[in-house]
Amino acid sequence: MAENYHLKPGKGSEQRAPGKVLLDAVCNHLNLVEGDYFGLEFPDHKKITVWLDLLKPIVKQIRRPKHVVVKFVVKFFPPDHTQLQEELTRYLFALQVKQDLAQGRLTCNDTSAALLISHIVQSEIGDFDEASDREHLAKNKYIPQQDALEDKIVEYHHNHIGQTPAESDFQLLEIARRLEMYGVRLHPAKDREGTKINLAVANTGILVFQGFTKINAFNWAKVRKLSFKRKRFLIKLRPDANSSYQDTLEFLMASRDFCKSFWKICVEHHAFFRLFEEPKPKPKPVLFSRGSSFRFSGRTQKQVLDFVKEGGHKKVQFERKHSKIQSIRSLATQPTEPNSEVPKQAQQSASLPPGEGAEPAGGAGGQQAAEPSAAAEERQSPAPPRSPAGGGKADGAPRAPADEEEEVVKDRTQQSKAQPPQPSTGSLTGSPHLSELSINSQGGAAPTNVILSPNLSPDTKQASPLVSPLLNDQVCPRTDDEEEGRRKRFPTDKAYFIAKEVSTTERTYLKDLEVITSWFQSTVSKEDVMPEALKSLIFPNFEPLHKFHTSFLKETEQRLALWEGRSNAHIRGDYQRIGDVLLKNIQGMKQLAAHLWKHSEALEALETGIRSSRRLESLCRDFELQKVCYLPLNTFLLRPLHRLMHYKQVLERLCKHHPPSHADFRDCRAALAEVTEMVAQLHGTMIKMENFQKLHELKKDLIGIDNLVIPGREFIRLGSLSKLSGKGLQQRMFFLFNDVLLYTSRGLTASNQFKVHGQLPLYGMTIEESEDEWGVPHCLTLRGQRQSLVVAASSRSEMEKWVEDIQMAIDLAEKSSGPTPEFLASSPPDHKSPDEAAVADQESEDDLSASRTSLERQAPHRGNTMVHVCWHRNTSVSMVDFSVAVENQLSGNLLRKFKNSNGWQKLWVVFTNFCLFFYKSHQDHHPLASLPLLGYSLTIPSESEDIHKDYVFKLHFKSHVYYFRAESEYTFERWMEVIRSATSSASRAHILSHKESHVY
């Protein structure tokens, strides 16, 4: 890509200016917002190519500027190109890939090379024309030996008809990022034995190559310290009893300058990708300095992503120097909203050959090659506002947001041309205008008898729970003509939609409170099975909350009505705020704090009562089978604690949105301070109760285990792994706690419970990757003191999650003298009343287990727990993920469309517990259907899918496709945000730091 700049000698302050001034000048010249991914490189006085140090004066680095060419090139390659949110940035990255291909840095096989070049050709000359293609290829050499690939390049280019330059860039990066040499700059070195190798640094850590083959990698998490001493480059690893490596690895480089240059690059990569903010300078020593004072300067990747998301910049036009086609941005009649200039569609593109780039660079959630049918590359659509189909230009005119009822405009679409079938890239790609949107399903085919609802599209022969008289298009179609007269224009201020989110989620919260105060209380009152002490602990502490929040919801909805102008329109301006309502009611909630403190006590007392009385246990299990109890009963007891966090998040968004001078800012800030104080007080209780609740929930899914819930035990992760035995690989469910690892198989009884087969105490356990030893991909060997297991994960990313959590659990077990791992029991101890014990004596062990959990009657309900979802989707979920899910709850109206249906249906949708629950309206007491989201891909529909509506997102798992449409840009982004949290696991380090910085 390299933009070349010849420097002219400056005067005075120009000569003393640090390197950052020059880099900023180049980025400003290019109107480049995401310039932090780039750097300036030049040959120093010893002809070694080095990066310009941003802190040192330029004159001390470039001694003879007249004779030096400074190159502007990509320095930091992110693991996922969808994190590049500007079209100009992706264009420059595409140019870098093009240059790396030409220079032989980016090596790949012929199929990948031809595919990459076909996208470059599409970007430069447009749609396929064989004569033009061959003439263009004759004049431009993209790789050595290009002539042998010409026919294949032309064949692939034919498949890209209609693809814009921006889309071509996106597809080019999608393919390139999967190649092993993407973004790799090799630095010659030798190991201790004198073998010639190459070192490189990437976003994940330090890589070791022999030739162009990667032979080793040292993840940043394993590296304790990087240093150099003369020509020796030293990597100090964290202590690991399971590793065959020495504590410190040593590599010999050509000279001290080469060694120091590579060390600097490693320091910068670690800081850019791993830190949240720029490291602060170390204090200068008083007398003597030891070692280098070099440090990373500039924004980290997180800061860049946050800055671009906040939209604190102005979109500008740019010209594609190498393209005969105008860019999308230069065609726009006016600047669009932040993050909106993305490829309209990204055409399906051919797959990489087997074994090459099977996983994304970051190792996050790659789709396995075993699922080609589910891996078709989705073409991307732009963020709103959208242009009419077929019109070559982006429509810059603002659009009024849709109202609750549904905005439907006359269909102006044209039938898209059918595209020839193509190989797939092996992943579902998300929209490039939203960060980290490419969420791929974990590998492994789901069994044909999956009972998860709703997993089947209406085009399949099996019925989907969503295809019901209430939800079927043919029963209640909504036409454009019917809706044309019902359209409204709501306020467009983001604050209005934030306030509306308070209202919609408050409706759901009230319904959740009613599960306890109305439905459960009514059930309990009909049978004399619950002790009065337990009743007085639960219901009197929930009823005041229900009464208070009923009033709060009414006040919020009245304010929204005034804001929208539905009443007293002449005074509407005085009520375009929500902070005063929130402040008043949050202050009122503080008066109810005594009731909130009792909820954890109520949860513990209820579980104790269930354990002591079989009749109460039966009553609670039967209540959980009712449709109104759409989550485990004990989850509803924690809802008031979770709701406080939601208020805190809403107020944080409002304070961030309003300038300090806004009339609502002071009230919002005061309300935020009040609710933050309440969350801080309840923080410890919340963490403890979430773990307590999760242990009791897991207990219902397991057979053959006793004393799962004991003080000190913490749940860490559950999920599906394949266990290697004499019969080959067999699917098993694994449950990881802070002291033991359980492995189970799914029972064949009506209960669908999982039978415990064995346990591995974590104390003294070691873990090692053993793919080479067993010839099984993503394979691990777990060595306990008495037993060893060989297991395989469905993907590389799944394996890394398990390794990280198991190693953390082993470390905890080594340091703790906590619970004993011996808790498998042949018969559970009972503490029943004498008359109940007499009945139990007549039952066999299996019958006892069955009766104690009402298994036969529970079967329809227990098939949709998180354990079963992970089993069918062949994935895993951690306690960290559950904690994130608690924070990401949302509800509101969405319009839904199946893959082959015509109209849109309005549904009330609740997102919680990794699942979408569908209601006909917010007044319904129970959901019509549910959709577990683990393993689903979140994307934006392509032009060929004929959606042509604003604010539409797509959920896709194998052949199951659903489209959902939000009413505004804000609600669209919120739904994308919370669903993304359910379809991908966040990193543990990120989540823990997030908790610390936000009190919870």
Side-chain angles (χ1 to χ4, degrees):
M1 164 204 109
E3 289 270 354
N4 295 340
Y5 293 89
H6 291 270
L7 297 183
K8 296 179 181 179
K11 295 182 180 180
S13 61
E14 292 181 13
Q15 290 183 324
R16 294 190 297 270
K20 188 176 189 311
V21 172
L22 180 57
L23 180 61
D24 289 345
V26 174
C27 293
N28 291 336
H29 172 71
L30 296 172
N31 290 315
L32 180 62
V33 175
E34 297 172 298
D36 304 80
Y37 291 102
F38 301 83
L40 297 171
E41 65 175 16
F42 65 95
D44 66 4
H45 63 286
K46 295 183 181 179
K47 304 302 180 185
I48 301 173
T49 301
V50 296
W51 293 100
L52 186 71
D53 190 325
L54 301 186
L55 295 177
K56 287 177 66 174
I58 298 171
V59 70
K60 288 188 176 182
Q61 302 181 69
I62 305 176
R63 304 294 173 86
R64 303 175 64 188
K66 277 187 177 181
H67 305 284
V68 173
V69 176
V70 180
K71 295 182 179 180
F72 180 77
V73 293
V74 177
K75 187 174 186 178
F76 302 112
F77 290 79
D80 188 349
H81 63 301
T82 61
Q83 294 174 343
L84 306 174
Q85 305 191 30
E86 291 277 305
E87 181 189 331
L88 174 58
T89 313
R90 291 190 294 273
Y91 171 56
L92 294 175
F93 266 72
L95 291 181
Q96 184 71 64
V97 170
K98 176 182 169 183
Q99 185 182 75
D100 289 349
L101 271 175
Q103 294 177 349
R105 279 178 167 175
L106 184 58
T107 57
C108 56
N109 62 29
D110 290 350
T111 302
S112 298
L115 186 56
L116 289 167
I117 296 171
S118 71
H119 284 295
I120 296 173
V121 172
Q122 175 70 22
S123 174
E124 293 184 353
I125 67 173
D127 287 346
F128 170 80
D129 177 82
E130 185 165 355
S132 300
D133 278 18
R134 296 193 183 277
E135 180 183 354
H136 184 77
L137 290 171
K139 294 179 180 178
N140 298 272
K141 295 298 180 184
Y142 297 105
I143 58 168
Q145 296 86 40
Q146 179 175 295
D147 294 344
L149 300 179
E150 186 171 307
D151 290 341
K152 192 173 283 190
I153 295 169
V154 171
E155 176 190 346
Y156 284 142
H157 185 210
H158 184 267
N159 295 331
H160 306 329
I161 292 175
Q163 193 167 281
T164 66
E167 295 162 6
S168 298
D169 292 344
F170 187 78
Q171 293 300 335
L172 179 76
L173 297 177
E174 170 65 24
I175 298 159
R177 76 184 180 98
R178 298 170 183 276
L179 301 175
E180 193 164 69
M181 295 301 293
Y182 173 65
V184 169
R185 301 291 182 264
L186 298 178
H187 299 259
K190 293 181 181 179
D191 62 15
R192 278 183 169 173
E193 285 73 38
T195 306
K196 290 184 178 180
I197 57 164
N198 289 302
L199 297 179
V201 62
N203 60 83
T204 54
I206 298 172
L207 313 177
V208 183
F209 287 82
Q210 204 156 37
F212 291 102
T213 303
K214 186 169 71 173
I215 60 174
N216 214 334
F218 301 101
N219 199 294
W220 292 127
K222 298 179 181 177
V223 176
R224 181 180 173 188
K225 184 180 179 181
L226 295 174
S227 60
F228 70 95
K229 189 173 184 180
R230 297 185 179 88
K231 296 193 294 183
R232 291 181 296 148
F233 180 73
L234 307 171
I235 304 175
K236 191 166 188 177
L237 300 176
R238 297 187 184 280
D240 185 357
N242 306 317
S243 175
S244 60
Y245 298 112
Q246 301 175 16
D247 178 51
T248 302
L249 301 174
E250 183 178 310
F251 300 94
L252 193 67
M253 307 193 81
S255 68
R256 180 185 182 277
D257 290 337
F258 274 112
C259 197
K260 183 175 182 180
S261 175
F262 181 64
W263 172 78
K264 284 184 175 182
I265 298 169
C266 293
V267 170
E268 291 180 313
H269 271 73
H270 176 269
F272 183 76
F273 288 109
R274 297 279 288 184
L275 302 185
F276 285 174
E277 58 186 20
E278 177 183 354
K280 296 177 182 178
K282 296 179 181 178
K284 291 184 178 180
V286 178
L287 295 175
F288 304 104
S289 63
R290 184 178 179 183
S292 174
S293 62
F294 176 79
R295 65 179 176 88
F296 171 75
S297 174
R299 292 183 297 192
T300 64
Q301 188 191 28
K302 182 182 184 301
Q303 290 175 312
V304 175
L305 293 173
D306 290 345
F307 174 75
V308 178
K309 284 179 185 177
E310 290 168 4
H313 58 281
K314 183 180 179 181
K315 295 291 186 293
V316 293
Q317 299 180 8
F318 74 92
E319 180 183 354
R320 291 173 178 269
K321 184 177 179 181
H322 304 282
S323 177
K324 299 176 182 178
I325 313 164
Q326 287 179 288
S327 75
I328 293 176
R329 184 151 63 173
S330 62
L331 288 172
T333 56
Q334 68 181 57
T336 57
E337 290 299 312
N339 303 337
S340 64
E341 29 78 22
V342 296
K344 288 183 181 177
Q345 286 82 30
Q347 196 68 295
Q348 292 184 4
S349 61
S351 68
L352 294 176
E356 181 163 351
E359 288 291 328
Q367 178 82 3
Q368 282 197 313
E371 285 187 47
S373 62
E377 180 82 63
E378 293 300 330
R379 297 171 64 201
Q380 309 305 317
S381 62
R386 292 188 54 157
S387 61
K393 301 183 179 182
D395 182 7
R399 298 281 298 273
D403 80 310
E404 284 187 354
E405 291 299 321
E406 176 186 8
E407 178 200 15
V408 183
V409 185
K410 288 278 188 179
D411 192 19
R412 301 170 291 183
T413 63
Q414 299 178 1
Q415 196 69 21
S416 300
K417 295 180 181 179
Q419 299 294 339
Q422 306 176 47
S424 88
T425 60
S427 77
L428 286 158
T429 310
S431 161
H433 79 286
L434 287 174
S435 169
E436 299 176 359
L437 193 60
S438 175
I439 311 300
N440 302 325
S441 63
Q442 305 297 338
T448 55
N449 63 341
V450 172
I451 60 173
L452 304 176
S453 64
N455 275 352
L456 302 175
S457 302
D459 55 331
T460 61
K461 292 186 179 181
Q462 292 173 275
S464 163
L466 277 179
V467 185
S468 66
L470 291 173
L471 299 178
N472 200 324
D473 284 334
Q474 298 177 354
V475 176
C476 53
R478 294 182 181 272
T479 66
D480 293 350
D481 292 335
E482 288 175 356
E483 292 296 329
E484 189 68 31
R486 302 169 65 180
R487 295 167 58 192
K488 303 174 185 176
R489 290 185 177 270
F490 280 174
T492 57
D493 183 13
K494 181 179 178 180
Y496 163 78
F497 291 106
I498 298 176
K500 193 169 183 180
E501 182 182 330
V502 175
S503 171
T504 56
T505 52
E506 192 73 10
R507 287 174 178 174
T508 300
Y509 176 51
L510 262 182
K511 290 289 183 185
D512 288 350
L513 290 178
E514 287 170 6
V515 172
I516 301 296
T517 60
S518 297
W519 298 92
F520 186 51
Q521 187 170 14
S522 174
T523 300
V524 168
S525 65
K526 293 175 184 176
E527 297 186 41
D528 186 22
V529 297
M530 181 179 283
E532 288 300 323
L534 183 55
K535 288 182 185 178
S536 62
L537 186 58
I538 297 176
F539 303 118
N541 285 306
F542 274 83
E543 287 165 347
L545 293 179
H546 182 266
K547 182 179 179 181
F548 176 85
H549 286 278
T550 301
S551 173
F552 180 20
L553 175 61
K554 183 178 180 181
E555 192 173 349
T556 304
E557 291 183 333
Q558 287 174 344
R559 175 57 56 87
L560 286 172
L562 292 170
W563 202 330
E564 294 162 5
R566 286 187 273 154
S567 61
N568 297 328
H570 62 285
I571 59 170
R572 178 180 168 190
D574 296 334
Y575 291 96
Q576 293 185 350
R577 51 187 298 184
I578 194 66
D580 56 330
V581 176
L582 289 170
L583 177 60
K584 172 191 167 186
N585 284 278
I586 286 173
Q587 288 173 339
M589 285 178 214
K590 295 188 78 173
Q591 308 304 316
L592 300 172
H595 298 292
L596 294 174
W597 282 105
K598 289 288 186 180
H599 291 169
S600 60
E601 188 180 339
L603 175 60
E604 291 179 326
L606 178 62
E607 293 297 344
T608 300
I610 289 173
R611 195 164 60 247
S612 303
S613 168
R614 184 170 298 155
R615 292 177 61 197
L616 178 58
E617 180 185 42
S618 177
L619 179 140
C620 292
R621 295 295 81 81
D622 287 346
F623 179 74
E624 283 192 331
L625 295 181
Q626 296 184 28
K627 291 181 179 180
V628 71
C629 190
Y630 66 101
L631 296 172
L633 175 60
N634 54 19
T635 302
F636 292 101
L637 296 176
L638 295 179
R639 275 295 192 249
L641 301 181
H642 296 158
R643 186 60 179 158
L644 290 177
M645 290 195 304
H646 303 157
Y647 294 136
K648 182 173 179 285
Q649 289 177 331
V650 165
L651 285 162
E652 284 172 344
R653 285 196 289 273
L654 281 168
C655 289
K656 188 174 182 180
H657 171 68
H658 288 315
S661 58
H662 193 277
D664 207 24
F665 180 79
R666 178 177 292 182
D667 286 340
C668 289
R669 187 170 60 179
L672 177 59
E674 298 274 7
V675 77
T676 300
E677 182 184 350
M678 293 180 70
V679 171
Q681 291 172 350
L682 294 165
H683 166 62
T685 300
M686 208 179 311
I687 298 292
K688 178 184 174 184
M689 286 301 104
E690 283 179 358
N691 181 69
F692 181 81
Q693 183 269 329
K694 188 56 59 184
L695 290 175
H696 277 282
E697 186 180 334
L698 294 177
K699 183 180 170 185
K700 301 171 191 173
D701 282 306
L702 298 174
I703 294 177
I705 186 172
D706 182 34
N707 295 333
L708 178 64
V709 186
I710 61 174
R713 176 157 295 132
E714 295 178 15
F715 163 68
I716 296 177
R717 178 175 290 274
L718 66 86
S720 172
L721 294 171
S722 296
K723 177 177 171 286
L724 186 62
S725 67
K727 299 178 182 179
L729 288 172
Q730 296 178 309
Q731 187 180 8
R732 295 286 183 262
M733 276 299 293
F734 282 74
F735 298 82
L736 176 63
F737 303 92
N738 63 332
D739 60 335
V740 70
L741 177 67
L742 299 181
Y743 59 97
T744 69
S745 65
R746 191 181 181 198
L748 300 177
T749 64
S751 68
N752 284 327
Q753 285 179 297
F754 289 82
K755 182 179 180 180
V756 176
H757 281 281
Q759 60 171 329
L760 272 78
L762 296 181
Y763 187 84
M765 180 189 285
T766 61
I767 179 172
E768 60 188 56
E769 296 184 24
S770 50
E771 292 186 16
D772 296 337
E773 181 180 355
W774 299 102
V776 177
H778 323 307
C779 184
L780 299 171
T781 299
L782 307 174
R783 301 188 191 280
Q785 292 183 334
R786 291 174 296 177
Q787 180 185 5
S788 294
L789 288 182
V790 180
V791 297
S794 59
S795 67
R796 183 79 189 176
S797 62
E798 273 294 297
M799 183 186 77
E800 289 172 351
K801 293 174 194 173
W802 278 105
V803 169
E804 180 185 1
D805 282 350
I806 292 174
Q807 189 58 59
M808 180 195 70
I810 291 172
D811 294 342
L812 290 174
E814 296 286 345
K815 297 174 184 176
S816 170
S817 56
T820 170
E822 299 294 337
F823 61 93
L824 291 181
S826 57
S827 60
D830 272 331
H831 304 287
K832 308 292 184 182
S833 59
D835 57 328
E836 291 174 333
V839 177
D841 290 339
Q842 302 171 16
E843 300 172 326
S844 70
E845 178 185 328
D846 290 338
D847 291 337
L848 178 62
S849 298
S851 66
R852 291 186 76 246
T853 48
S854 307
L855 298 180
E856 285 70 19
R857 288 175 291 166
Q858 279 195 2
H861 185 64
R862 297 242 54 83
N864 239 6
T865 67
M866 193 53 57
V867 178
H868 289 82
V869 175
C870 289
W871 173 268
H872 290 302
R873 304 276 170 84
N874 205 10
T875 186
S876 68
V877 64
S878 70
M879 191 63 203
V880 175
D881 299 322
F882 282 110
S883 297
V884 174
V886 164
E887 298 180 26
N888 289 289
Q889 298 182 17
L890 193 62
S891 53
N893 283 309
L894 285 175
L895 303 178
R896 187 239 54 200
K897 180 183 181 299
F898 289 124
K899 182 165 66 175
N900 293 334
S901 60
N902 296 319
W904 294 81
Q905 282 79 49
K906 190 179 84 168
L907 297 170
W908 178 259
V909 183
V910 173
F911 172 79
T912 186
N913 206 34
F914 304 95
C915 194
L916 291 177
F917 294 92
F918 302 97
Y919 301 74
K920 190 176 181 184
S921 78
H922 69 86
Q923 296 171 328
D924 289 357
H925 295 301
H926 59 80
L928 299 163
S930 63
L931 179 64
L933 294 182
L934 279 181
Y936 264 78
S937 297
L938 176 65
T939 60
I940 293 181
S942 67
E943 191 75 20
S944 64
E945 292 170 276
D946 283 334
I947 299 301
H948 305 296
K949 301 291 183 184
D950 294 339
Y951 317 124
V952 176
F953 59 90
K954 172 183 175 180
L955 286 170
H956 185 155
F957 176 73
K958 297 181 182 293
S959 62
H960 317 311
V961 179
Y962 305 95
Y963 302 100
F964 295 96
R965 182 174 159 209
E967 65 174 353
S968 69
E969 183 175 6
Y970 171 79
T971 51
F972 168 80
E973 290 174 351
R974 283 288 293 137
W975 280 106
M976 295 285 276
E977 178 186 350
V978 299
I979 291 175
R980 188 164 60 237
S981 73
T983 51
S984 70
S985 294
S987 93
R988 176 173 298 276
H990 173 75
I991 296 303
L992 292 178
S993 63
H994 174 76
K995 282 186 179 181
E996 289 167 6
S997 62
H998 289 77
V999 180
Y1000 172 75

